Amino acid sequence: MDYDQVILGRRSIRGYKPDPVPKALIEEILALAMRAPSSMNTQPWNFYVLTGEPLDRIRAGNTERNLAGVPHSREFRIGQAFAGVHRDRQIGVAKQLFAAMGIAREDQAARQDWVLRGFRQFDAPVCIIITYDKALDGSDDTPFDCGAVATALVNAAWSRGLGTVINSQGIMQSPVVREHAGIAEDQVIMKSIALGWPDESFPANAVVSERKSVAEATTFVGFDD
């Protein structure tokens, strides 16, 4: 695929085939992603790539703690709840997904199952945990750089036929993640990315989230009309 095809075609994938993803292919994707820009070439990111039994243990621990009502322990600050237009966009994509999956507003069981899919890393065969060096904690540049590498990663994966979804549910119970992924104490857990071969029969995978226009997002200064 050329660049435009990757950018315009990529979707967040929430349903995966169980087929394994070759380690060599993941290494190739990471090598591409790590060409992302970073502040003064600090390259703060590290990756913990999980599959098989360790990933299953994280899925189980995340789900059990969530159902037991254990408060989240996300290490990277979560911020305030969305409001205004940002909340509207959040609700908008949720409506798109629930409509695709046939989940009615009053179907609480189906809605809870949908939430738990996130804690299970959407049952993807691979999970990539992005961390950054604790020595850089507090720098605004560091999460910006990690966002850049995450974007590059999901686009590189799509160019190779793999689907992804960047998510926070998978790292909300950080003690579970840290234990079973063997994450070093000098790392801050920032984000997780589910990765695998898209299941094209999964209805939510066809959802294309709406985007605001260039005109809405951009102010041009000093240009001739």
Side-chain angles (χ1 to χ4, degrees):
M1 287 186 279
D2 66 23
Y3 183 77
D4 286 9
Q5 288 177 309
V6 172
I7 299 301
L8 296 175
R10 190 204 62 80
R11 306 181 304 278
S12 290
I13 299 300
R14 296 174 173 87
Y16 296 87
K17 297 178 181 178
D19 308 31
V21 180
K23 180 181 176 183
L25 180 54
I26 299 172
E27 290 174 331
E28 179 181 318
I29 288 166
L30 289 174
L32 286 172
M34 290 169 64
R35 295 303 305 168
S38 67
S39 176
M40 292 172 281
N41 199 35
T42 50
Q43 301 178 60
W45 48 69
N46 288 294
F47 309 95
Y48 290 77
V49 184
L50 295 102
T51 193
E53 187 178 347
L55 179 52
D56 288 339
R57 288 197 293 266
I58 290 175
R59 295 191 220 275
N62 282 345
T63 302
E64 289 166 7
R65 288 166 69 100
N66 182 63
L67 290 173
V70 177
H72 78 78
S73 51
R74 176 174 162 177
E75 296 182 4
F76 184 72
R77 60 184 180 273
I78 199 165
Q80 300 299 315
F82 295 134
V85 66
H86 305 102
R87 175 63 173 163
D88 292 342
R89 292 184 188 126
Q90 181 187 23
I91 292 172
V93 74
K95 287 180 176 178
Q96 285 182 272
L97 291 167
F98 287 160
M101 297 299 296
I103 300 174
R105 184 180 182 85
E106 65 277 5
D107 191 342
Q108 295 303 313
R111 284 173 173 254
Q112 183 183 50
D113 181 67
W114 183 258
V115 170
L116 291 178
R117 288 184 65 84
F119 283 85
R120 300 196 310 264
Q121 286 293 340
F122 299 90
D123 300 321
V126 175
C127 168
I128 300 176
I129 307 294
I130 297 180
T131 71
Y132 62 82
D133 300 333
K134 189 173 287 186
L136 298 171
D137 207 11
S139 163
D140 288 339
D141 285 329
T142 294
F144 185 90
D145 295 343
C146 288
V149 82
T151 300
L153 194 160
V154 300
N155 286 329
W158 190 261
S159 76
R160 266 61 177 171
L162 287 162
T164 61
V165 60
I166 302 172
N167 66 91
S168 293
Q169 300 103 310
I171 47 91
M172 285 294 193
Q173 299 292 341
S174 60
V176 172
V177 177
R178 189 172 288 280
E179 176 187 357
H180 297 300
I183 295 175
E185 290 300 323
D186 66 354
Q187 296 296 299
V188 176
I189 299 171
M190 182 174 183
K191 214 69 169 174
S192 57
I193 301 177
L195 180 143
W197 305 106
D199 178 358
E200 298 299 344
S201 68
F202 191 76
N205 286 348
V207 169
V208 179
S209 57
E210 298 174 355
R211 290 291 191 266
K212 61 182 179 180
S213 68
V214 172
E216 291 176 290
T218 310
T219 300
F220 289 99
V221 180
F223 286 82
D224 296 329
D225 290 338

